[in-house]
């Protein structure tokens, strides 16, 4: 345990759900929020943004949330990704078509 209480958290960063919704659900009252959502690296960006917010004095303790379903198979039966064949574009090189007139 970190020893933190909800009242200690004055910043929150999350992607997907809005930071305000997460804060309300957890009973937090943040002074600073970040809802940057740019794909799989959103949470790494949140760490950088949180460090800047703390260094700027905007907040002192930031909760960064992260959750995933794994292997982009949200809602699929467990381990089903192993039974699926990868698209040909991911398993074989694709060469450009010759331009008309080349040869």
């Amino acid at each position: 345990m970190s020893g933190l209480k909800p009242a200690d958290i004055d910043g929150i960063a999350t992607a997907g759900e809005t930071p305000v919704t997460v804060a309300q659900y957890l009973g937090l009252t943040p002074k600073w929020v970040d809802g940057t959502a740019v794909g799989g690296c959103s949470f790494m960006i949140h760490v950088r943004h949180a460090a800047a917010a703390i260094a700027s004095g905007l907040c002192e303790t930031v909760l960064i949330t992260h959750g995933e379903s794994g292997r982009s198979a949200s809602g699929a039966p467990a381990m089903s990704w192993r039974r699926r064949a990868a698209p040909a574009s991911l398993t074989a090189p694709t060469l450009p078509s010759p331009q008309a007139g080349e040869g």
Side-chain angles (χ1 to χ4, degrees):
M1 286 261 271
S2 66
L4 293 172
K5 299 179 291 304
D8 297 330
I9 299 169
D10 59 354
I12 187 166
T14 188
E17 192 58 61
T18 66
V20 173
T21 302
V22 174
Q24 288 175 340
Y25 180 79
L26 296 174
L28 305 175
T29 307
K31 297 189 288 185
W32 178 87
V33 297
D34 183 357
T36 302
V38 295
C41 68
S42 298
F43 310 101
M44 292 182 282
I45 292 171
H46 291 162
V47 171
R48 184 73 176 233
H49 289 176
I54 292 168
S56 299
L58 298 174
C59 56
E60 293 182 17
T61 306
V62 178
L63 171 66
I64 299 172
T65 66
H66 176 75
E68 63 181 59
S69 60
R71 286 283 199 183
S72 297
S74 179
M79 306 300 274
S80 66
W81 58 270
R82 289 187 182 181
R83 291 187 292 275
R84 280 187 266 152
S89 63
L90 299 178
T91 58
T94 303
L95 301 175
S97 310
Q99 296 294 325
E102 290 184 10

